[in-house]
Amino acid sequence: MKTDERHALVIGASIAGLLAAQVLTKYFNQVTIIERDRLSDQPEQRPGVPQAQHLHILLKRGLDVMEQLFPGIQTELAASGAVAINASADYLCYGLGGWTPRFNSDLNVYSLSRNLLEWIIRRRLAANNRVVFVQGSQVTSLLSNPNKPQVTGVQVRQKIAHSQDTSYRQTDFTADLVVDASGRNSHAPEWLEAMGYTPPKETVINSFLGYASGLFELPENFHTDWQGALITAKAPGTRGGVMSTIEGNRWIVTLIGIGRDYPPTDEAGFLDFARSLRNPIIYEAILDAKAVSPLTAYHRTENSWHHYEKLSRLPVGFVVTGDAVCAFNPVYGQGMTTAALGALTLDECLNKQLSRHADGNLVGLSQSFQKQLSKIIVVPWLMATGEDFRWDTTVGGRPNLITKLMQQYLDQVLLLTAESPDIYRLLLEVMHLLKPPSVFFHTNVFRQVVQRIIRESDKKWNRSKDKLLVDH
């Protein structure tokens, strides 16, 4: 299926960009990745990913896709220090109904820093002679064919370092396909408008959630039989937190505040915020721990969806993926997995396109990909925004009656997870994007929800009856 002497270009060495590049190596002779940052040969923080300092979760579905795209990557993760975790046994969860049950399952994932994961993927790509990284360079516009509705490449602003100052040069890169994976700051809407196309409409749902995170070394006398702990916020309460062990025998702690109840980044304030959570387990773990990094904040967490799938016209040779299309509230841990599913979608669309057009004709690919990608996005979008709508401070829309009824039903499911290992496993499978949320409405689950409602109603009635007898 490879097309000789054809060139694909990816804007951004994000997770979405790197995974898309891996797919493109199957179909193009050369793949160029244009990245604004200088990329280290070590797993280090870079300016273009400020959120990398906070906890990242690679869901089971995302891990499976990455193994499919990069066979053997799980072995590399383990060899690089990533911590193997069984999601149902090694991770504590204090949910709506209290602690969930612990049991072994096949939900095996890894806990690691975003920097380490990105570096491992980048190292794999760098070993591929089809891939070229162009660093310290920023795409400023799309190149187009004046006679055809077609993107032919990009114009790039590149730094030229001198002994005393830094200057820039403009360079044109031609390509048969351009993939924008430049994240939340994508300029694709403006670029399309400059070419005479209608920019996509954007939907934004913002719960004004903020993080504060730091790395810690726990005291030697602190022993646990778990590798992570999650304390969820319970509306109308606004505070939650999560801690997880990562490579280097370190623990990352991320405190979460909703509705602008942002966690502070001074040590005393951070500890006090941890103490205010619904359960003290995180506070007790870090009370005597040694901070091994500064405490950092991140507040850009709105759900944002640019609806490219609804555009009637798109230029040939240009697609948009990752956060450049849809960025989720990161508290739900869906971003990297959705990026991986987007890469699989690109693979499927290219396979179909080039099976039909052996000459490499890409007419129709853009619309096909964006529509297929939207089908991938819709489930995590509804999950994220449905949860964010629980808080009255959320802006960008209000839950309708159906959404409110769904929330009430799902509250019963969440309460059941503290009582039933089977229901909790089902919840984990949905959270890890292995099963659709519709499984919560299967007969067995629905029956347990009804039974619980009846049980609780009977308890409430008996309490009221007892109180009435005492009063008289």
Side-chain angles (χ1 to χ4, degrees):
M1 291 298 299
K2 295 184 177 69
T3 55
D4 293 339
E5 304 305 322
R6 290 179 69 83
H7 179 210
L9 186 146
V10 178
I11 305 172
S14 60
I15 296 289
L18 297 174
L19 299 180
Q22 175 68 1
V23 166
L24 293 171
T25 60
K26 297 171 60 177
Y27 304 101
F28 293 85
N29 192 56
Q30 181 179 325
V31 178
T32 300
I33 302 172
I34 308 288
E35 172 51 47
R36 183 178 55 186
D37 289 339
R38 293 286 178 182
L39 301 173
S40 173
D41 59 0
Q42 297 296 321
E44 296 175 348
Q45 177 70 28
R46 60 186 180 89
V49 193
Q51 71 273 26
Q53 299 175 74
H54 305 272
L55 178 66
H56 277 64
I57 298 172
L58 179 58
L59 304 178
K60 174 62 174 172
R61 181 73 175 109
L63 180 63
D64 291 345
V65 173
M66 288 190 188
E67 181 68 27
Q68 182 178 339
L69 295 175
F70 297 96
I73 195 170
Q74 293 191 56
T75 302
E76 289 185 51
L77 293 175
S80 299
V83 180
I85 285 181
N86 185 270
S88 58
D90 299 328
Y91 230 79
L92 308 183
C93 178
Y94 193 78
L96 198 61
W99 291 115
T100 53
R102 297 174 67 185
F103 52 90
N104 286 314
S105 68
D106 57 356
L107 297 172
N108 295 307
V109 292
Y110 287 92
S111 181
L112 72 167
S113 68
R114 160 70 181 258
N115 293 333
L116 179 61
L117 178 61
E118 191 176 286
W119 173 71
I120 288 173
I121 298 172
R122 196 165 64 232
R123 186 174 62 179
R124 273 290 196 100
L125 281 169
N128 189 328
N129 59 14
R130 289 181 180 269
V131 178
V132 175
F133 285 89
V134 178
Q135 306 176 42
S137 303
Q138 186 168 1
V139 174
T140 56
S141 64
L142 299 175
L143 302 177
S144 61
N145 188 329
N147 301 316
K148 296 180 181 179
Q150 181 175 348
V151 169
T152 59
V154 297
Q155 188 172 82
V156 175
R157 186 171 182 253
Q158 294 180 290
K159 292 180 182 180
I160 306 174
H162 297 289
S163 57
Q164 295 182 347
D165 64 346
T166 301
S167 58
Y168 299 87
R169 68 182 175 196
Q170 296 287 348
T171 305
D172 290 350
F173 286 79
T174 60
D176 300 285
L177 177 64
V178 174
V179 178
D180 181 9
S182 57
R184 286 182 181 264
N185 295 318
S186 168
H187 292 285
E190 299 98 294
W191 294 337
L192 289 175
E193 192 169 21
M195 292 175 62
Y197 291 86
T198 301
K201 292 183 179 180
E202 181 185 13
T203 300
V204 177
I205 308 293
N206 193 351
S207 65
F208 298 101
L209 180 146
Y211 291 140
S213 299
L215 295 175
F216 292 84
E217 287 182 359
L218 299 190
E220 291 184 3
N221 61 352
F222 188 92
H223 301 291
T224 70
D225 64 346
W226 45 271
Q227 303 284 358
L230 167 67
I231 310 299
T232 64
K234 183 178 180 179
T238 57
R239 296 186 173 187
V242 58
M243 66 182 295
S244 186
T245 181
I246 61 171
E247 71 274 7
N249 197 30
R250 300 168 298 168
W251 290 76
I252 184 168
V253 178
T254 294
L255 301 182
I256 302 158
I258 303 164
R260 294 191 176 91
D261 182 19
Y262 299 137
T265 54
D266 65 282
E267 201 166 317
F270 188 87
L271 194 61
D272 190 57
F273 193 99
R275 183 166 46 192
S276 72
L277 302 186
R278 295 173 53 223
N279 185 279
I281 190 169
I282 295 177
Y283 168 74
E284 292 171 352
I286 64 174
L287 180 60
D288 297 316
K290 176 185 176 184
V292 293
S293 78
L295 297 171
T296 58
Y298 186 71
H299 297 164
R300 193 176 179 187
T301 61
E302 69 276 9
N303 302 282
S304 170
W305 188 350
H306 290 86
H307 295 282
Y308 289 96
E309 79 282 0
K310 295 183 178 180
L311 295 179
S312 59
R313 294 175 60 243
L314 280 169
V316 176
F318 182 65
V319 300
V320 190
T321 192
D323 282 3
V325 175
C326 187
F328 304 97
N329 183 339
V331 74
Y332 306 113
Q334 301 165 315
M336 294 191 297
T337 296
T338 305
L341 294 172
L344 277 191
T345 303
L346 181 61
D347 192 359
E348 293 166 2
C349 290
L350 278 168
N351 193 8
K352 290 180 181 178
Q353 181 78 20
L354 297 178
S355 294
R356 291 193 300 263
H357 303 282
D359 61 352
N361 188 332
L362 298 180
V363 173
L365 173 69
S366 301
Q367 289 91 337
S368 174
F369 171 73
Q370 301 301 161
K371 289 182 184 298
Q372 291 302 313
L373 181 62
S374 71
K375 296 176 182 179
I376 297 295
I377 290 170
V378 68
V379 168
W381 173 267
L382 291 174
M383 290 170 64
T385 58
E387 284 299 304
D388 281 353
F389 277 140
R390 292 181 182 275
W391 284 270
D392 292 338
T393 51
T394 298
V395 300
R398 299 308 310 159
N400 56 27
L401 178 60
I402 293 177
T403 301
K404 290 179 179 179
L405 291 173
M406 293 277 284
Q407 287 176 341
Q408 292 174 15
Y409 178 85
L410 290 174
D411 281 348
Q412 295 298 319
V413 175
L414 292 173
L415 289 168
L416 276 172
T417 62
E419 306 169 12
S420 167
D422 290 339
I423 298 295
Y424 181 49
R425 179 190 171 88
L426 197 64
L427 174 67
L428 287 175
E429 289 172 334
V430 172
M431 291 174 61
H432 282 262
L433 300 183
L434 296 169
K435 291 183 178 179
S438 59
V439 297
F440 293 140
F441 298 91
H442 287 181
T443 304
N444 180 49
V445 180
F446 182 77
R447 182 174 60 252
Q448 292 184 62
V449 167
V450 172
Q451 289 171 346
R452 188 185 187 283
I453 292 173
I454 294 172
R455 237 180 10 251
E456 292 303 311
S457 297
D458 288 344
K459 289 180 183 177
K460 186 176 180 180
W461 164 247
N462 288 330
R463 285 195 298 267
S464 299
K465 185 174 62 174
D466 291 343
K467 184 177 184 301
L468 187 63
L469 290 172
V470 169
D471 290 342
H472 289 77

